Amino acid sequence: MSFAVKSSAPRITKASTLTRELMDLDPTMRVAPLPTGREDYPQIGIIESAPNQWPLNLDADQLCHFTSGHAVITGQGETLEARPGTVIHLKSGFQGHIEVLDTCRFIYVCVPGSPAKSTPVLHDVANVPASADWGTLGDSSRVSGILLSRDADGRAESGMWICTPGLWDCHVTHDEFCHFLSGRATYTHESGEIIEIEPDTAAFFPKDWRGTCRVHETVRKVYLIA
């Protein structure tokens, strides 16, 4: 099952390769939105596009993690190359366009945010080394990562996060989107629901999600906290 919607943490497994869940949006584009139970934000899903071009006129932040293909985003004096492993955090107010040069797929999440003078970009996210040590969780998990972007008021924080094996209590204080790139973990909700995380799982943990997390194999993920 690629979609787990009736869950405390809705998620998509095999997000980079799923096929039958994608719906035709037009002759060149297919989409697979992840129902989160929200009418506004966050908006989460997958877009797959054949060579095409469309405008970008954003009234919210949009994080895009490209898992295949080649695209170029142009606007506001910037030209941003997107290839597999590129994470681009387009900020609210961005105006420009995206041109798909080679059929591409990207996982996206949209949340409220603020304008910025430049667009945060991270390349080779599955392999780039962490730039900061973020301490420990629970009995033994060591956390590190890269902070890609965060608004002055703390909203719309994005980056790359690594956590070593261990067990720790988990309280999600803000809506959080995660695309797990590698490693394995088991999240257990306070209701008793068990959520198994494997590589290439895109998941949404809503504000006030509570439970535990046991990391079995070091986890690496792309994240966006609303």
Side-chain angles (χ1 to χ4, degrees):
M1 180 67 70
S2 297
F3 274 68
V5 176
K6 295 181 179 180
S7 171
S8 63
R11 58 199 180 279
I12 307 171
T13 57
K14 299 179 175 60
S16 298
T17 58
L18 68 85
T19 54
R20 65 181 181 180
E21 291 86 350
L22 293 169
M23 303 176 294
D24 291 333
L25 185 64
D26 64 32
T28 63
M29 189 180 299
R30 300 192 298 164
V31 300
L34 174 64
T36 62
R38 305 291 180 83
E39 294 183 359
D40 50 1
Y41 297 104
Q43 298 170 359
I44 299 168
I46 298 167
I47 292 178
E48 183 177 274
S49 176
N52 191 9
Q53 180 174 305
W54 66 89
L56 294 171
N57 186 8
L58 303 182
D59 59 5
D61 278 24
Q62 180 171 312
L63 186 78
C64 302
H65 175 210
F66 288 80
T67 59
S68 63
H70 180 201
V72 177
I73 296 174
T74 306
Q76 303 183 170
E78 298 178 298
T79 299
L80 310 171
E81 291 273 349
R83 297 182 183 274
T86 300
V87 177
I88 299 178
H89 188 153
L90 295 166
K91 298 295 293 175
S92 181
F94 184 92
Q95 295 185 6
H97 68 271
I98 180 170
E99 181 179 6
V100 176
L101 303 175
D102 185 20
T103 297
C104 73
R105 176 179 293 205
F106 60 91
I107 299 162
Y108 71 89
V109 56
C110 300
V111 300
S114 303
K117 293 181 179 179
S118 61
T119 302
V121 179
L122 181 62
H123 296 289
D124 195 21
V125 68
N127 299 299
V128 64
S131 61
D133 184 338
W134 291 338
T136 58
L137 288 171
D139 56 2
S140 58
S141 289
R142 194 79 190 178
V143 181
S144 58
I146 295 173
L147 177 63
L148 180 61
S149 180
R150 181 169 58 204
D151 288 351
D153 60 4
R155 295 188 307 167
E157 178 186 326
S158 64
M160 183 275 292
W161 185 90
I162 298 172
C163 184
T164 64
L167 173 67
W168 39 277
D169 293 329
C170 182
H171 175 208
V172 179
T173 57
H174 295 82
D175 288 344
E176 182 172 347
F177 162 80
C178 308
H179 184 203
F180 294 87
L181 308 179
S182 59
R184 296 185 181 276
T186 300
Y187 285 81
T188 303
H189 187 250
E190 60 184 358
S191 67
E193 179 193 8
I194 295 176
I195 298 167
E196 298 291 352
I197 297 297
E198 61 185 52
D200 200 20
T201 297
F204 169 60
F205 290 86
K207 180 181 178 180
D208 283 331
W209 192 99
R210 292 176 183 267
T212 62
C213 176
R214 180 177 292 278
V215 176
H216 308 290
E217 302 170 3
T218 297
V219 164
R220 178 186 288 248
K221 70 182 183 181
V222 175
Y223 74 90
L224 176 64
I225 300 172

